[in-house]
């Protein structure tokens, strides 16, 4: 059945497998212990803001041991961003040097170049000399830009 | 064909939700990531239409390159963590968008779409190559495209050299 739908079927199977193993399974296995934590936070919030409402909340039933397969015990250290054993300082929203933008634009130009050259390479024999000249003109126009960047010393990192 | 219908509806719903998330999310970086998801679903719709080369190009250019460009631009922006604030142009933009949507929907619903009965070409790449690079094909637009890229490269050089 999968062969009828080719790559779409494969994509959907991989997507479902990925979602089940990385998102749904850990979430639902840790759900009882997660629920206990949320309930404790909710009662704490009520105690600080509306103390008279607390006695109306029914207590949470005790979950059996086998349901708490995956424990869920968050604390500030565990929830913090962890990178190679270093404690993080400041925010991650650092402004980058705008010179990187040049490389991104050059990357896009190369990308589009490859997209145009790929069908030409597939049908190389059928297109013959005319196609070769067309592709050479195509590459020549883009190489002008690269030579200009090289002569203007933009590719050097200062 | 029911499998193709299921695939189309999953892709369409996810694509529309991702496109709405691009507009509605306050965090610009998350909006960019959902734009990537939107591009991916469009590539999936190309696959269901058996336009394999177009799907590969969509993933290579839009998911690969354009999203990198957008995310880089976000990383270069000052005060981006404040998100996208609302402004006075909200209502006019909404009206223009509604008008545009109405025009597109009217044109789509009032066009008699011709459905070809011949089965689609299996590898589309050689046919596209023959259309693009052969004599009497679309050789002039193909040669205009690198001039556009040249303009982009030169614009980037001017941008970087500016003190």
């Amino acid at each position: 059945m999968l062969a009828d739908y080719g790559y779409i079927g494969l994509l959907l199977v991989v997507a479902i497998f990925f979602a089940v193993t990385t998102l749904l399974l850990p979430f639902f296995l840790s759900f009882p212990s997660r629920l206990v934590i949320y309930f404790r936070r909710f009662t704490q919030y009520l105690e600080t803001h509306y103390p008279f409402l607390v006695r109306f909340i029914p207590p949470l039933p005790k979950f059996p041991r086998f349901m708490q397969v995956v424990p869920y015990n968050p604390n500030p250290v565990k929830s913090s961003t962890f990178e190679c054993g270093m404690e993080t300082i400041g925010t991650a929203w650092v402004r980058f040097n705008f010179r990187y933008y040049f490389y991104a634009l050059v990357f896009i130009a190369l990308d589009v170049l490859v997209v145009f050259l790929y069908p030409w390479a597939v049908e190389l024999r059928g297109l013959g000399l005319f196609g070769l000249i067309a592709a050479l003109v195509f590459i020549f126009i883009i190489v002008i830009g690269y030579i200009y960047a090289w002569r203007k010393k933009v590719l050097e990192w200062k | 064909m029911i499998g193709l219908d299921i695939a189309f509806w999953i892709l369409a719903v996810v694509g529309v939700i991702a496109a709405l998330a691009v507009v509605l999310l306050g965090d610009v970086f998350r909006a960019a990531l959902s734009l990537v998801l939107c591009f991916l679903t469009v590539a999936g719709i190309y696959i269901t239409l058996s336009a394999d080369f177009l799907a590969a190009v969509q993933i290579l250019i839009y998911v690969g390159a354009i999203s990198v460009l957008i995310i880089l631009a976000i990383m270069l922006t000052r005060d981006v963590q404040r998100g996208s604030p609302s402004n006075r142009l909200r209502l006019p933009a909404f009206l223009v968008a509604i008008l545009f949507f109405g025009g597109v929907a009217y044109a789509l619903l009032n066009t008699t779409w011709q459905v070809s009965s011949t089965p689609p070409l299996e590898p589309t790449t050689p046919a596209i190559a023959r259309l693009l690079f052969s004599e009497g094909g679309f050789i002039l637009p193909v040669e205009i495209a690198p001039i556009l890229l040249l303009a982009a490269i030169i614009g980037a050089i001017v941008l970087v050299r500016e003190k």
Side-chain angles (χ1 to χ4, degrees), chain A residues 93, chain B residues 25-33 74 80 83-84:
Chain A
W93 292 99
Chain B
L25 278 181
D27 194 332
V28 187
F29 189 73
R30 285 180 186 168
L33 289 185
I74 289 171
V80 75
S84 59

Side-chain angles (χ1 to χ4, degrees), chain B residues 59-73:
Chain B
I59 288 182
L60 199 67
I61 304 255
Y62 281 89
V63 180
I66 301 277
S67 55
V68 165
L69 195 72
I70 291 172
I71 288 170
L72 254 174

Side-chain angles (χ1 to χ4, degrees), chain B residues 18-107:
Chain B
L20 278 177
V22 174
V23 184
L24 297 176
L25 278 181
D27 194 332
V28 187
F29 189 73
R30 285 180 186 168
L33 289 185
S34 49
L35 188 66
V36 172
L37 182 65
C38 187
F39 286 153
L40 269 175
T41 57
V42 171
I45 286 177
Y46 285 151
I47 294 176
T48 61
L49 297 172
S50 46
D52 46 3
F53 181 72
L54 204 57
V57 167
Q58 170 84 11
I59 288 182
L60 199 67
I61 304 255
Y62 281 89
V63 180
I66 301 277
S67 55
V68 165
L69 195 72
I70 291 172
I71 288 170
L72 254 174
I74 289 171
M75 280 155 64
L76 301 176
T77 313
R78 210 183 330 163
D79 290 339
V80 75
Q81 62 267 48
R82 260 193 283 162
S84 59
S86 65
N87 54 26
R88 271 177 296 158
L89 284 176
R90 204 170 216 188
L91 197 65
F94 181 71
L95 287 177
V96 169
I98 285 287
L99 273 179
F100 181 73
F101 176 74
V104 169
Y106 180 79

Side-chain angles (χ1 to χ4, degrees), chain A residues 102 104 111 119 123 134 145 152, chain B residues 60 72 129-130 142-143 150 160-161:
Chain A
F102 172 71
D111 221 18
E123 191 63 3
K152 289 285 179 184
Chain B
L60 199 67
L72 254 174
R130 254 172 271 131
V142 169
E143 300 296 351
L150 184 67
V160 170
R161 281 174 60 84

Side-chain angles (χ1 to χ4, degrees), chain A residues 21-99:
Chain A
T21 50
T22 62
L23 300 172
L24 295 180
L25 216 59
F27 182 80
F28 281 110
L29 287 183
S30 68
F31 195 70
S33 33
R34 208 174 263 273
L35 204 63
V36 171
I37 300 273
Y38 292 156
F39 186 76
R40 202 178 298 153
R41 264 191 220 154
F42 179 62
T43 45
Q44 272 171 7
Y45 171 79
L46 279 190
E47 268 173 6
T48 48
H49 290 83
Y50 312 100
F52 57 92
L53 275 180
V54 175
R55 68 186 79 148
F56 296 109
I57 308 173
L60 206 65
K62 187 84 177 149
F63 287 105
R65 188 94 183 135
F66 68 90
M67 282 180 76
Q68 303 172 10
V69 184
V70 176
Y72 179 71
N73 304 313
N75 59 51
V77 177
K78 206 166 153 187
S79 312
S80 68
T81 316
F82 183 80
E83 192 179 348
C84 307
M86 309 289 272
E87 282 183 32
T88 48
I89 303 166
T91 63
W93 292 99
V94 187
R95 273 184 74 204
F96 283 76
N97 195 328
F98 75 101
R99 284 175 155 273

Side-chain angles (χ1 to χ4, degrees), chain B residues 103-117:
Chain B
V104 169
Y106 180 79
L108 279 178
L109 293 176
N110 283 288
T111 310
T112 48
W113 297 98
Q114 297 182 344
V115 180
S116 166
S117 57

